[in-house]
């Protein structure tokens, strides 16, 4: 803050002029990953300065309440701002989610960041431009026509005026309004271009970028002594087993929550290993070992609901050929490449946390409650971590670091999970059972469809402020318990097929399963679309039609037809060879976001499927960055291929037994398909969420291709080895 | 504690350190390097790879005592003194071959090692060599394109 004070002193009236962007407009950017003081700026999303601020070095700070997860959000947000202000990236800087600094944009999830945050930034930037133009018109008695903005200045009759010169001490406070023009719609100099990601060079050079790279003077390292089971309680620990060891700082015990702190990171790891063998636990009920996943899931207590009932399914059911199929998917994990990590500091009554949470504001509320601090005494800064596209242990590790830090005031505490902890304790994407029945009329048209699904929760994010949603919450004394029944909306995402039918009924059963679960990329849409699109192929076969024609005959939405139609053109020349098959899948994500059609060419040798190539056509409305969209879609297909072919969480009667990359195999380089993505850009339309669109269609495309290659319908994931 | 001498990114280094400490922890904590990342601590994922006497090697298990007198190059040491990126790094930028980028260190280091040993390595050979490197964002296809591209330069 001293910089800011000095600046205000020196700049005098110019500072007042900056108040157009709010009273705290001249913030000091956090130039590195470390925290500045909390500036305490207003974060009202209606204020222009909640999204755009001027920095004292003349640069413009673009602000988002969302997080960079590897999806390229930073670049796309900068692009929309650069467009409206007609400025190069060099004059811009980006502030990611931080409590008290950025607007509260909830969770970075659901492929919503372009639709929400980017559009807020776009509007604020366009408003700023029009305000500055208005001042110039007034002051210089010139026409608004012909005014240009360029790299942080307005060009008036060939003269370049900086924002400060234009403001000239004026104090104008404005909230966002509907601007007359969006350059993003009329000019598209930055928007719609494949602008390279500015953050990538840092990664390539090995510069500090991730939360894992944070270092502070005197920082200590913590590790958690994990219980052997979800149900375990800590019976006893003898501090003497480690207290004389090199580097030992402290044991932190709160109920069953047990952490060891050391001066050096590897010392903490060694102490964790020692304690792992010395601590005694009481283990509760063993985990059930189901032989038949579907029967097991259906046997669990469940909350049932008819979510949609259009037309008269019972009547339509009798009026044609009834086709039925039952599908399932197991629990699968995020399994980020880098285990979850956070740094926490408790100093002068303030708890500061650096972490890769996808929702710093909801997390702040939850942690404040857990450590019993007032909300304003907790400050969380989002720093990118290892990607995983979902709710992994990012929030848990932040909560744990906080619990430890409050016991060691004045010290930065860095906590990173080990591989076996990440695999065995993160919240998984839940197992689901998906059962479809539909009737076909004599013309091969679907008359009615009934879809019945079983699912555990798809989000136990700490959005309600309940510490039960953080892993340590349940282990504290007194315990905050475990999350209750989850959110139905995640399970039924994309459950209604996009295809036209006279009748459709959706029944969902939400159970509470034995494993910890939360949001994984696309939530229920992955399993729903997988099963719907495989079932569509089964129906097409019964109707005697090819998969493309059958889908097109049941679509009304022009954009859906264009998307599927384009995939058909692209793959028309593909001739599957011996033991090969070509399959397709399609969905509009959430039935309201991007349209995505996927084709897969799969070869099956001795029962082992290898995906040779995948193609995708995606319509995400207005595309902000085509290379970013392509990257997300390529990655979505490959990640989905890994889930579909290989992934399933395993456990024994005590706990999870998928604890590393050998016991939880994922797709590796030798098995990676070639991928091609084509974007249908619709600059005249709003942007649509796209980051999760490929997951379901890709799974169905692979499994449908396997059928073409082998004649075997795989209905239970993962595919594994095919026995014919 | 023991004194261990080695060369890191061309500079002689002496560390007073527990000789059991894996090389990764020494690089990250004692030498403040960011390139090599902790991924699994089990030599299963490649995130922690460094060039050890020119060969890509996981550093998460290898005790520092075992690298006495050896030459270690990390991601930070690949660029020239003038800051010019190694052709493999440059190709990763040009192909935008990352999403979260956490695996990128191991991918680049392993690719450099493979191409140093065999500048005309085939795609199949590159896939084979990089099979150890896990990526969870699914950027493999771009990474392959980047490595194939840098092979020509």
């Amino acid at each position: 803050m001293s910089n800011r004070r000095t600046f205000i002193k020196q700049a005098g009236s110019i500072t007042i002029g900056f108040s157009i962007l709010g009273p705290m407009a001249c913030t000091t950017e956090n130039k590195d990953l470390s925290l500045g003081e909390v500036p305490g700026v207003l974060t009202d999303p209606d204020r222009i300065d909640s999204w755009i601020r001027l920095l004292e070095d003349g640069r413009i700070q673009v602000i988002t309440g969302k997080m960079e997860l590897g999806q390229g959000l930073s670049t796309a947000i900068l692009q929309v701002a650069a467009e409206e202000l007609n400025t190069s990236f060099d004059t811009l800087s980006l502030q990611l989610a931080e409590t008290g600094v950025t607007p509260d944009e909830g969770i970075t999830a659901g492929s919503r960041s372009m639709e929400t945050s980017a559009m807020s930034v776009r509007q604020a930037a366009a408003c700023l431009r029009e305000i500055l133009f208005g001042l110039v018109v007034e002051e210089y008695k010139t026409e608004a026509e012909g005014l240009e903005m360029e790299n942080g200045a307005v060009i008036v009759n060939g003269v370049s005026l900086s924002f400060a010169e234009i403001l000239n001490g004026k104090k104008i406070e404005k909230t966002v309004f509907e601007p007359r023009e969006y350059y993003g719609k009329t000019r598209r100099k930055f928007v719609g271009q494949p602008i390279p990601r500015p953050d990538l060079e840092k990664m390539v050079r090995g510069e500090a970028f991730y939360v894992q790279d944070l270092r502070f003077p005197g920082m200590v390292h913590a590790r958690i002594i994990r219980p052997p089971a979800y149900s375990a309680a800590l019976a006893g620990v003898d501090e003497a087993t480690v207290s004389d060891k090199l580097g030992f700082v402290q044991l932190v015990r709160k109920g069953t929550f047990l952490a060891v702190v050391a001066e050096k990171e590897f010392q903490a790891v060694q102490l964790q290993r020692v304690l792992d063998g010395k601590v005694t636990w009481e283990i509760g009920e063993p985990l059930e070992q189901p032989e038949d996943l579907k029967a097991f899931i259906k046997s669990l207590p469940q909350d049932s609901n008819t979510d949609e009932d259009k037309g008269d399914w019972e009547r339509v059911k009798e009026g044609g050929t009834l086709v039925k199929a039952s599908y399932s998917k197991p629990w699968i994990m995020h399994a980020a490449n880098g285990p979850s990590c956070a740094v926490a500091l408790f100093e002068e009554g303030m708890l500061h946390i650096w972490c890769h949470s996808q929702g710093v504001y909801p997390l702040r509320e939850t942690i404040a409650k857990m450590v019993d601090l007032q909300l304003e005494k907790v400050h969380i800064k989002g720093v990118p971590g290892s990607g995983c596209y979902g709710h992994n242990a990012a929030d848990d590790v932040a909560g744990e670091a906080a619990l430890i830090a409050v016991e060691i005031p004045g010290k930065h505490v860095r906590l990173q999970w080990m591989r076996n902890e990440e695999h065995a304790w993160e919240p998984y994407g839940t197992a689901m059972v998906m059962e479809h029945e539909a009737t076909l009329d004599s013309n091969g048209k679907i008359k009615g469809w009934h879809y019945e699904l079983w699912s555990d929760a798809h989000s136990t994010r700490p959005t309600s402020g309940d510490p039960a949603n953080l892993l340590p919450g349940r282990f504290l004394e007194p315990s905050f318990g475990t999350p209750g029944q989850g959110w139905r909306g995640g399970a039924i995402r994309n459950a209604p097929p996009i295809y036209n039918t006279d009748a459709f009924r959706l029944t969902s059963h939400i159970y509470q399963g034995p494993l910890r679960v939360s949001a994984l990329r696309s939530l229920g849409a992955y399993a729903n679309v997988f099963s719907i699109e495989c079932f569509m192929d089964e129906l097409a076969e019964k109707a005697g039609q090819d998969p493309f024609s059958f889908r097109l005959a049941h679509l009304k939405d022009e954009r859906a037809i264009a998307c599927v139609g384009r995939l058909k053109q692209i793959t028309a020349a593909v001739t599957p060879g011996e033991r090969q098959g070509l399959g397709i899948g399609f969905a509009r994500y959430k039935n309201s976001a991007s349209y995505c059609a996927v084709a897969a060419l799969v070869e099956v040798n001795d029962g082992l499927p290898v995906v040779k190539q995948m193609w995708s056509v995606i319509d995400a409305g207005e595309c902000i960055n085509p290379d970013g969209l392509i990257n997300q879609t390529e990655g979505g297909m490959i990640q989905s291929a890994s889930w579909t072919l290989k992934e399933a969480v395993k456990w024994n009667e005590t706990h999870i037994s998928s604890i590393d990359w050998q016991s939880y195999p994922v797709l590796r380089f030798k098995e990676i398909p070639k991928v091609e993505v084509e974007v249908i850009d619709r600059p005249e339309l709003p942007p649509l969420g796209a980051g999760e669109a490929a997951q379901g269609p890709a799974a169905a495309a692979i499994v449908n291709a396997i059928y073409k290659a082998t004649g075997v319908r795989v209905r239970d994931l993962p595919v594994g080895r095919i026995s014919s | 504690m023991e004194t261990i001498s080695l060369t890191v990114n061309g500079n002689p280094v002496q560390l007073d350190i527990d000789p059991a400490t894996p090389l990764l922890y020494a690089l990250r904590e004692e030498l403040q390097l960011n390139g090599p990342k902790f991924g699994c601590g089990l030599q299963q994922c490649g995130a922690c790879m460094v060039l050890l006497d020119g060969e890509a090697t996981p550093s998460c298990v290898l005790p520092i005592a075992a690298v006495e007198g050896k030459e270690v190059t990390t991601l930070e040491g690949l660029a020239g003194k003038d800051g010019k990126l190694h052709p493999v790094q440059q190709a990763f930028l040009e192909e935008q071959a990352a999403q979260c980028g956490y695996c990128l260190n191991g991918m680049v280091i392993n690719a450099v090692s493979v191409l140093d040993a065999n500048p005309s390595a085939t795609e199949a050979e590159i896939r084979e060599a990089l099979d150890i490197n896990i990526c969870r964002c699914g950027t493999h296809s771009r990474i392959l394109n980047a490595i194939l591209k840098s092979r020509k330069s």
Side-chain angles (χ1 to χ4, degrees):
Chain A
M1 286 304 255
S2 61
N3 284 345
R4 186 178 161 265
R5 281 197 203 102
T6 314
F7 174 69
I8 290 169
K9 222 177 192 175
Q10 289 165 353
S13 63
I14 296 174
T15 310
I16 301 166
F18 279 148
S19 68
I20 188 174
L21 304 172
M24 300 295 289
C26 317
T27 53
T28 305
E29 185 199 4
N30 294 326
K31 287 201 171 53
D32 50 28
L33 297 173
S34 62
L35 287 176
E37 277 180 68
V38 184
V41 292
L42 293 169
T43 52
D44 175 357
D46 288 337
R47 292 175 61 105
I48 293 172
D49 65 333
S50 291
W51 306 101
I52 299 264
R53 287 173 207 152
L54 297 184
L55 296 174
E56 58 204 58
D57 60 8
R59 287 187 306 152
I60 302 157
Q61 187 181 40
V62 180
I63 300 148
T64 173
K66 298 286 185 179
M67 264 298 275
E68 176 62 60
L69 313 174
Q71 80 280 47
L73 163 126
S74 313
T75 311
I77 298 260
L78 286 172
Q79 274 176 272
V80 296
E83 184 77 58
E84 299 309 321
L85 302 172
N86 193 32
T87 179
S88 71
F89 276 20
D90 298 342
T91 59
L92 299 177
S93 76
L94 185 72
Q95 165 76 51
L96 293 170
E98 181 173 351
T99 62
V101 177
T102 68
D104 177 0
E105 293 200 84
I107 308 279
T108 305
S111 298
R112 298 262 305 139
S113 298
M114 289 304 100
E115 298 169 12
T116 56
S117 197
M119 294 303 102
S120 297
V121 167
R122 166 181 277 180
Q123 186 177 10
C127 289
L128 170 61
R129 183 189 68 233
E130 292 192 357
I131 290 168
L132 291 170
F133 278 3
L135 289 172
V136 168
V137 166
E138 205 176 293
E139 186 67 26
Y140 295 84
K141 309 292 177 226
T142 180
E143 296 291 316
E145 285 296 308
L147 283 183
E148 278 296 328
M149 188 168 270
E150 200 176 289
N151 290 333
V154 176
I155 315 297
V156 191
N157 302 325
V159 180
S160 174
L161 296 170
S162 73
F163 292 173
E165 286 172 298
I166 296 165
L167 291 163
N168 193 27
K170 285 197 184 65
K171 183 176 174 130
I172 299 169
E173 287 187 9
K174 289 237 181 188
T175 52
V176 287
F177 50 89
E178 195 50 42
R180 284 187 299 278
E181 183 182 358
Y182 283 114
Y183 285 178
K185 292 292 183 185
T186 54
R187 297 190 170 190
R188 292 172 54 80
K189 190 170 146 191
F190 295 89
V191 164
Q193 302 300 317
I195 294 181
R197 287 173 51 170
D199 48 358
L200 217 138
E201 187 160 343
K202 283 187 181 173
M203 300 173 185
V204 162
R205 288 187 180 276
E207 291 174 13
F209 179 80
Y210 304 93
V211 67
Q212 285 88 350
D213 299 332
L214 287 169
R215 296 179 185 88
F216 297 94
M219 183 168 80
V220 292
H221 295 268
R223 286 296 182 275
I224 307 294
I225 317 308
R226 296 282 162 202
Y230 286 132
S231 62
L234 178 57
V237 54
D238 181 5
E239 186 166 332
T241 53
V242 287
S243 57
D244 62 338
K245 295 280 197 295
L246 197 65
F248 173 79
V249 175
Q250 197 167 322
L251 271 185
V252 174
R253 181 185 175 176
K254 295 167 188 256
T256 287
F257 175 79
L258 181 64
V260 64
V261 184
E263 288 165 8
K264 301 261 180 194
E265 186 172 10
F266 187 61
Q267 290 167 346
V269 174
Q270 286 172 306
L271 296 179
Q272 180 191 36
R273 286 176 189 163
V274 170
L275 286 161
D276 270 341
K278 299 280 184 192
V279 174
T280 51
W281 309 90
E282 281 163 10
I283 301 177
E285 289 292 304
L287 286 173
E288 208 165 326
Q289 300 284 290
E291 275 179 27
D292 178 342
L293 178 77
K294 286 178 182 171
F296 170 66
I297 283 175
K298 288 182 176 181
S299 74
L300 294 168
Q302 49 200 263
D303 176 51
S304 303
N305 191 49
T306 303
D307 303 286
E308 202 172 319
D309 205 356
K310 181 193 78 171
D312 187 347
W313 160 247
E314 294 299 342
R315 188 183 58 79
V316 170
K317 186 179 179 179
E318 307 302 326
T321 311
L322 188 65
V323 183
K324 289 185 180 192
S326 170
Y327 305 83
S328 72
K329 74 157 276 248
W331 283 269
I332 54 181
M333 62 173 80
H334 301 83
N337 188 200
S340 298
C341 181
V343 177
L345 167 70
F346 185 57
E347 193 172 55
E348 295 170 10
M350 272 297 287
L351 176 61
H352 303 276
I353 301 166
W354 296 255
C355 67
H356 52 111
S357 169
Q358 289 174 257
V360 292
Y361 278 98
L363 179 62
R364 176 175 69 160
E365 192 186 341
T366 313
I367 288 180
K369 205 172 285 178
M370 186 171 72
V371 300
D372 197 18
L373 280 173
Q374 288 173 310
L375 200 56
E376 56 275 19
K377 296 293 181 193
V378 181
H379 169 213
I380 305 184
K381 181 179 177 64
V383 185
S386 180
C388 71
Y389 294 117
H391 182 220
N392 70 345
D395 291 325
D396 298 327
V397 73
E400 291 171 341
L403 286 165
I404 301 163
V406 295
E407 300 300 321
I408 312 177
K411 289 250 183 226
H412 288 85
V413 176
R414 181 186 185 276
L415 170 63
Q416 183 165 14
W417 286 18
M418 302 302 282
R419 174 48 50 198
N420 59 333
E421 299 173 71
E422 188 79 15
H423 265 60
W425 286 93
E426 67 147 281
Y428 308 117
T430 182
M432 288 174 68
V433 177
M434 303 82 78
E435 298 196 335
H436 297 270
E437 48 181 347
T439 46
L440 288 168
D441 69 11
S442 53
N443 299 318
K445 278 269 189 181
I446 307 169
K447 299 307 288 177
W449 191 322
H450 177 211
Y451 179 20
E452 189 168 13
L453 67 90
W454 288 256
S455 176
D456 197 344
H458 284 272
S459 176
T460 59
R461 291 184 189 273
T463 45
S464 62
D466 182 356
N469 290 321
L470 296 178
L471 180 60
R474 68 180 69 186
F475 292 125
L476 298 176
E477 186 58 53
S479 170
F480 287 96
T482 53
Q485 185 184 296
W487 172 53
R488 177 168 248 109
I492 61 171
R493 179 171 290 179
N494 272 101
I498 191 171
Y499 305 103
N500 297 316
T501 55
D502 294 342
F504 174 67
R505 178 182 290 173
L506 174 64
T507 314
S508 63
H509 310 277
I510 309 298
Y511 66 86
Q512 287 190 54
L515 308 187
R516 211 177 162 230
V517 289
S518 196
L520 175 57
R521 195 176 195 176
S522 85
L523 311 189
Y526 167 70
N528 291 328
V529 171
F530 154 70
S531 64
I532 289 168
E533 288 297 297
C534 287
F535 192 55
M536 280 297 283
D537 262 34
E538 300 203 33
L539 290 170
E541 188 179 55
K542 285 276 189 314
Q545 295 176 30
D546 75 84
F548 276 115
S549 309
F550 187 70
R551 282 173 176 79
L552 289 166
H554 287 89
L555 286 171
K556 258 194 196 151
D557 183 330
E558 291 300 328
R559 292 170 75 178
I561 292 167
C563 193
V564 174
R566 182 65 193 137
L567 184 73
K568 187 178 177 181
Q569 286 176 344
I570 289 173
T571 54
V574 179
T575 314
E578 218 176 308
R579 300 184 307 279
Q580 292 188 339
L582 184 72
I584 61 167
F586 169 72
R588 180 179 192 192
Y589 184 53
K590 296 197 273 191
N591 285 327
S592 63
S594 291
Y595 300 81
C596 183
V598 175
L601 179 69
V602 181
E603 184 174 301
V604 182
N605 293 311
D606 298 327
L608 268 186
V610 179
V611 185
K612 307 296 282 185
Q613 191 163 356
M614 298 182 87
W615 299 262
S616 176
V617 178
I618 185 159
D619 169 358
E622 178 194 11
C623 174
I624 307 293
N625 188 320
D627 191 58
L629 177 57
I630 290 168
N631 196 353
Q632 282 282 279
T633 310
E634 290 173 348
M637 289 194 285
I638 291 172
Q639 188 185 37
S640 179
S642 182
W643 293 352
T644 304
L645 293 173
K646 304 201 153 203
E647 299 187 29
V649 175
K650 296 194 168 64
W651 67 92
N652 55 36
E653 64 174 19
T654 311
H655 198 58
I656 309 300
S657 55
S658 301
I659 52 166
D660 56 23
W661 298 112
Q662 278 172 4
S663 49
Y664 188 81
V666 299
L667 212 61
R668 288 176 180 260
F669 262 101
K670 278 192 283 191
E671 308 151 305
I672 297 295
K674 287 195 190 318
V675 286
E676 266 178 46
V677 177
E678 186 172 303
V679 173
I680 300 177
D681 192 9
R682 299 190 187 273
E684 70 285 3
L685 296 176
L688 297 172
E692 303 166 292
Q695 309 308 111
I702 290 168
V703 170
N704 286 333
I706 289 170
Y707 175 72
K708 297 277 184 190
T710 63
V712 176
R713 292 258 182 227
V714 177
R715 297 194 182 92
D716 302 304
L717 298 180
V719 171
R721 187 177 276 274
I722 295 155
S723 48
S724 46
Chain B
M1 299 293 247
E2 271 178 36
T3 304
I4 308 284
S5 305
L6 66 159
T7 305
V8 178
N9 296 331
N11 303 312
V13 169
Q14 276 202 339
L15 296 172
D16 288 316
I17 192 167
D18 173 358
T21 307
L23 174 61
L24 174 67
Y25 293 88
L27 295 172
R28 289 191 62 88
E29 200 169 0
E30 308 301 327
L31 302 175
Q32 320 272 300
L33 293 166
N34 300 306
K37 303 278 191 293
F38 180 83
C40 65
L42 304 162
Q43 304 187 123
Q44 292 177 357
C45 79
C48 62
M49 281 185 147
V50 298
L51 294 173
L52 186 62
D53 289 341
E55 198 173 327
T57 309
S59 64
C60 62
V61 174
L62 188 70
I64 185 90
V67 296
E68 166 78 42
K70 297 199 173 181
E71 204 165 305
V72 174
T73 304
T74 71
L75 190 62
E76 290 92 335
L78 291 180
K81 285 213 168 68
D82 56 356
K84 191 171 183 292
L85 292 174
H86 185 282
V88 172
Q89 289 173 303
Q90 185 61 35
F92 271 66
L93 269 192
E94 285 165 15
E95 293 297 314
Q96 293 284 291
Q99 284 186 31
C100 84
Y102 198 88
C103 70
L104 190 145
N105 167 74
M107 300 287 182
V108 171
I109 291 287
N110 204 351
V112 168
S113 174
V114 171
L115 295 183
D116 277 353
N118 179 8
S120 55
T122 63
E123 181 180 326
E125 286 166 340
I126 293 167
R127 281 175 179 260
E128 177 76 38
L130 266 76
D131 212 49
I132 185 178
N133 295 90
I134 296 263
C135 166
R136 273 310 257 174
C137 303
T139 45
H140 308 74
S141 58
R142 286 177 174 234
I143 290 166
L144 266 177
N145 289 343
I147 298 169
L148 291 171
K149 186 176 189 178
S150 65
R151 192 178 54 172
K152 292 170 200 139
S153 50

